[in-house]
């Protein structure tokens, strides 16, 4: 594998499924979560929330 393909692979791995790398990134993710609307807020705006991902009875 060439150096260029190794570098591209490393860059993809960093962006995909990785945890926050530092405190700055953790704080930014926290801000994003604070702005995230709840299902109830979306329904009040006439939008459909995310579908249920599981059945509570199971």
């Amino acid at each position: 594998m060439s150096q260029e393909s190794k570098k591209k692979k490393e860059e993809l791995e960093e962006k995909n499924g990785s945890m926050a790398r530092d405190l700055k990134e953790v704080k930014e993710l926290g801000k994003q979560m604070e702005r995230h609307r709840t299902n109830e807020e979306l329904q009040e705006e006439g939008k459909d929330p995310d579908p249920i991902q599981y059945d509570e009875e199971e």
Side-chain angles (χ1 to χ4, degrees):
M1 187 179 290
S2 71
Q3 285 287 59
E4 189 173 312
S5 12
K6 285 182 184 179
K7 185 177 180 180
K8 285 182 183 179
K9 182 180 177 186
E10 289 172 2
E11 288 174 3
L12 286 174
E13 288 175 355
E14 286 179 9
K15 293 178 185 176
N16 186 15
S18 63
M19 296 177 65
R21 293 176 290 232
D22 54 27
L23 186 57
K24 180 180 176 184
E25 193 171 350
V26 170
K27 289 180 179 182
E28 181 59 35
L29 291 170
K31 290 177 187 177
Q32 290 175 11
M33 291 302 296
E34 287 175 359
R35 293 188 300 259
H36 190 76
R37 293 175 288 181
T38 64
N39 285 347
E40 291 79 18
E41 291 170 331
L42 290 172
Q43 287 172 339
E44 288 173 4
E45 295 175 11
K47 297 181 179 180
D48 293 327
D50 286 337
I52 296 173
Q53 298 292 319
Y54 59 91
D55 192 6
E56 289 183 16
E57 293 177 9
E58 291 180 5

